[in-house]
Coordinates of all heavy atoms in Angstrom, one line a residue:
F71 N -10.6 7.1 -12.0 CA -11.0 7.7 -10.7 C -12.2 6.9 -10.2 O -13.2 6.8 -10.9 CB -11.2 9.1 -10.8 CG -11.8 9.7 -9.5 CD1 -11.0 9.8 -8.3 CD2 -13.1 10.2 -9.4 CE1 -11.5 10.4 -7.2 CE2 -13.6 10.7 -8.3 CZ -12.8 10.8 -7.1
V72 N -12.1 6.4 -9.0 CA -13.3 5.6 -8.5 C -13.9 6.1 -7.2 O -14.9 5.6 -6.7 CB -12.9 4.1 -8.3 CG1 -12.6 3.4 -9.6 CG2 -11.7 3.9 -7.3
G73 N -13.3 7.2 -6.6 CA -13.9 7.8 -5.4 C -12.9 8.5 -4.5 O -11.7 8.4 -4.7
S74 N -13.5 9.2 -3.6 CA -12.6 9.9 -2.6 C -13.3 9.9 -1.2 O -14.6 9.9 -1.2 CB -12.4 11.4 -3.1 OG -13.6 12.0 -3.4
S75 N -12.6 9.9 -0.2 CA -13.2 9.8 1.2 C -12.4 10.6 2.2 O -11.1 10.6 2.1 CB -13.3 8.4 1.6 OG -14.2 7.6 0.8
D76 N -13.1 11.2 3.2 CA -12.4 11.7 4.4 C -12.5 10.6 5.4 O -13.6 10.2 5.8 CB -13.2 12.9 4.8 CG -12.6 13.6 6.0 OD1 -11.9 12.9 6.8 OD2 -12.8 14.8 6.2
H77 N -11.3 10.1 5.8 CA -11.3 9.0 6.8 C -11.1 9.4 8.2 O -10.6 8.7 9.1 CB -10.3 8.0 6.4 CG -10.6 7.2 5.1 ND1 -11.7 6.5 4.9 CD2 -9.9 7.1 3.9 CE1 -11.8 6.0 3.7 NE2 -10.7 6.3 3.1
V78 N -11.3 10.7 8.5 CA -11.1 11.3 9.8 C -9.6 11.5 10.1 O -9.2 12.6 10.5 CB -11.8 10.5 11.0 CG1 -11.6 11.2 12.3 CG2 -13.3 10.3 10.7
V79 N -8.8 10.4 9.9 CA -7.4 10.6 10.2 C -6.6 11.0 8.9 O -5.5 11.4 8.9 CB -6.7 9.2 10.6 CG1 -7.3 8.9 12.0 CG2 -7.0 8.1 9.6
S80 N -7.3 10.9 7.7 CA -6.7 11.2 6.5 C -7.7 11.6 5.4 O -8.9 11.4 5.6 CB -5.9 10.0 6.0 OG -6.8 8.9 5.7
E81 N -7.2 12.1 4.3 CA -8.0 12.4 3.1 C -7.5 11.6 2.0 O -6.3 11.6 1.7 CB -8.0 13.9 2.8 CG -8.6 14.8 3.9 CD -8.4 16.2 3.7 OE1 -7.2 16.6 3.8 OE2 -9.3 17.0 3.4
A82 N -8.4 10.9 1.3 CA -7.9 9.9 0.3 C -8.7 9.9 -1.0 O -9.9 10.2 -1.0 CB -8.0 8.5 0.9
F83 N -7.9 9.6 -2.1 CA -8.5 9.5 -3.4 C -8.1 8.1 -4.0 O -7.0 7.7 -3.8 CB -7.9 10.6 -4.4 CG -8.3 12.0 -3.9 CD1 -7.7 12.7 -2.9 CD2 -9.4 12.6 -4.6 CE1 -8.1 13.9 -2.5 CE2 -9.8 13.9 -4.2 CZ -9.2 14.5 -3.2
Y84 N -9.1 7.5 -4.7 CA -8.9 6.1 -5.1 C -9.0 6.1 -6.7 O -9.9 6.6 -7.3 CB -10.0 5.2 -4.5 CG -9.8 5.2 -3.0 CD1 -10.5 6.1 -2.2 CD2 -9.0 4.3 -2.4 CE1 -10.4 6.0 -0.8 CE2 -8.9 4.2 -1.0 CZ -9.6 5.1 -0.2 OH -9.5 5.0 1.1
F85 N -8.1 5.3 -7.2 CA -8.0 5.1 -8.7 C -7.8 3.6 -8.9 O -7.5 2.8 -8.0 CB -6.8 5.8 -9.3 CG -7.0 7.3 -9.3 CD1 -6.6 8.1 -8.1 CD2 -7.4 8.0 -10.4 CE1 -6.8 9.4 -8.1 CE2 -7.6 9.4 -10.3 CZ -7.2 10.1 -9.2
T86 N -8.0 3.2 -10.2 CA -7.6 1.8 -10.6 C -6.6 1.9 -11.7 O -6.7 2.9 -12.5 CB -8.8 0.9 -11.0 OG1 -9.4 1.6 -12.1 CG2 -9.8 0.7 -9.9
D87 N -5.7 1.0 -11.7 CA -4.7 1.0 -12.8 C -5.3 0.2 -14.0 O -6.4 -0.3 -14.0 CB -3.3 0.4 -12.3 CG -3.4 -1.1 -12.0 OD1 -4.4 -1.8 -12.4 OD2 -2.5 -1.6 -11.4
P88 N -4.5 0.1 -15.1 CA -5.1 -0.5 -16.3 C -5.6 -2.0 -16.1 O -6.4 -2.5 -16.9 CB -4.0 -0.4 -17.4 CG -3.2 0.8 -16.9 CD -3.2 0.8 -15.4
E89 N -5.0 -2.6 -15.1 CA -5.3 -4.0 -14.8 C -6.5 -4.2 -13.8 O -6.9 -5.3 -13.5 CB -4.1 -4.8 -14.4 CG -3.0 -4.9 -15.4 CD -1.7 -5.5 -14.9 OE1 -1.7 -5.8 -13.7 OE2 -0.8 -5.7 -15.7
G90 N -6.9 -3.0 -13.3 CA -8.0 -3.1 -12.3 C -7.5 -3.1 -10.8 O -8.4 -3.2 -9.9
N91 N -6.2 -3.0 -10.6 CA -5.7 -3.0 -9.2 C -6.0 -1.6 -8.6 O -5.9 -0.6 -9.3 CB -4.2 -3.2 -9.2 CG -3.9 -4.6 -9.7 OD1 -4.3 -5.6 -9.1 ND2 -3.1 -4.7 -10.7
G92 N -6.3 -1.6 -7.4 CA -6.6 -0.3 -6.7 C -5.4 0.5 -6.3 O -4.4 -0.1 -5.9
I93 N -5.5 1.8 -6.3 CA -4.4 2.7 -5.9 C -5.0 3.8 -5.0 O -6.0 4.5 -5.5 CB -3.7 3.3 -7.1 CG1 -3.1 2.3 -8.0 CG2 -2.6 4.3 -6.6 CD1 -2.5 2.8 -9.3
E94 N -4.5 4.0 -3.8 CA -5.0 5.1 -2.9 C -3.9 6.1 -2.8 O -2.7 5.8 -2.6 CB -5.3 4.5 -1.5 CG -5.7 5.6 -0.5 CD -5.9 5.1 0.9 OE1 -5.7 3.9 1.1 OE2 -6.1 6.0 1.8
L95 N -4.3 7.4 -3.0 CA -3.4 8.5 -2.9 C -3.9 9.3 -1.7 O -5.1 9.7 -1.7 CB -3.3 9.4 -4.1 CG -3.1 8.7 -5.4 CD1 -3.2 9.6 -6.6 CD2 -1.7 8.0 -5.4
Y96 N -3.1 9.5 -0.6 CA -3.7 10.2 0.5 C -2.7 11.0 1.3 O -1.5 11.0 1.1 CB -4.3 9.1 1.5 CG -3.2 8.3 2.3 CD1 -3.1 8.6 3.7 CD2 -2.4 7.3 1.8 CE1 -2.1 7.9 4.5 CE2 -1.5 6.7 2.5 CZ -1.4 7.0 3.8 OH -0.4 6.3 4.6
V97 N -3.3 11.9 2.2 CA -2.5 12.7 3.0 C -3.1 12.6 4.4 O -4.3 12.5 4.6 CB -2.5 14.2 2.6 CG1 -3.9 14.8 2.6 CG2 -1.5 15.0 3.4
D98 N -2.2 12.5 5.4 CA -2.6 12.4 6.8 C -3.0 13.8 7.4 O -2.3 14.8 7.1 CB -1.5 11.8 7.7 CG -1.5 10.3 7.6 OD1 -2.5 9.7 7.3 OD2 -0.4 9.7 7.9
R99 N -4.0 13.8 8.3 CA -4.1 15.0 9.1 C -3.1 14.9 10.2 O -2.5 13.9 10.5 CB -5.5 15.0 9.7 CG -6.6 15.3 8.7 CD -7.9 15.7 9.5 NE -8.9 16.3 8.6 CZ -9.7 15.7 7.8 NH1 -9.7 14.3 7.8 NH2 -10.5 16.3 7.0
D100 N -2.8 16.1 10.8 CA -1.9 16.1 11.9 C -2.4 15.2 13.0 O -3.6 15.2 13.3 CB -1.7 17.5 12.5 CG -0.6 17.7 13.5 OD1 -0.9 17.5 14.7 OD2 0.5 17.9 13.1
R101 N -1.5 14.5 13.7 CA -1.9 13.5 14.7 C -2.7 14.2 15.8 O -3.5 13.5 16.5 CB -0.7 12.8 15.3 CG 0.0 11.8 14.3 CD 0.9 10.9 15.0 NE 1.6 10.0 14.0 CZ 2.0 8.8 14.3 NH1 1.9 8.3 15.6 NH2 2.6 8.0 13.4
S102 N -2.5 15.5 16.1 CA -3.2 16.2 17.1 C -4.7 16.2 16.8 O -5.5 16.5 17.7 CB -2.6 17.6 17.3 OG -2.8 18.4 16.2
Q103 N -5.1 16.0 15.5 CA -6.5 16.1 15.1 C -7.1 14.7 15.1 O -8.3 14.6 14.8 CB -6.5 16.7 13.7 CG -6.0 18.2 13.7 CD -6.1 18.7 12.3 OE1 -6.7 18.2 11.4 NE2 -5.4 19.8 12.1

Side-chain angles (χ1 to χ4, degrees):
F71 175 69
V72 293
S74 53
S75 296
D76 182 334
H77 292 303
V78 184
V79 294
S80 62
E81 295 168 294
F83 294 81
Y84 297 91
F85 293 82
T86 58
D87 69 13
E89 297 175 355
N91 298 299
I93 301 172
E94 176 185 358
L95 309 176
Y96 77 105
V97 63
D98 278 338
R99 286 194 167 87
D100 188 272
R101 290 195 182 208
S102 63
Q103 300 177 13

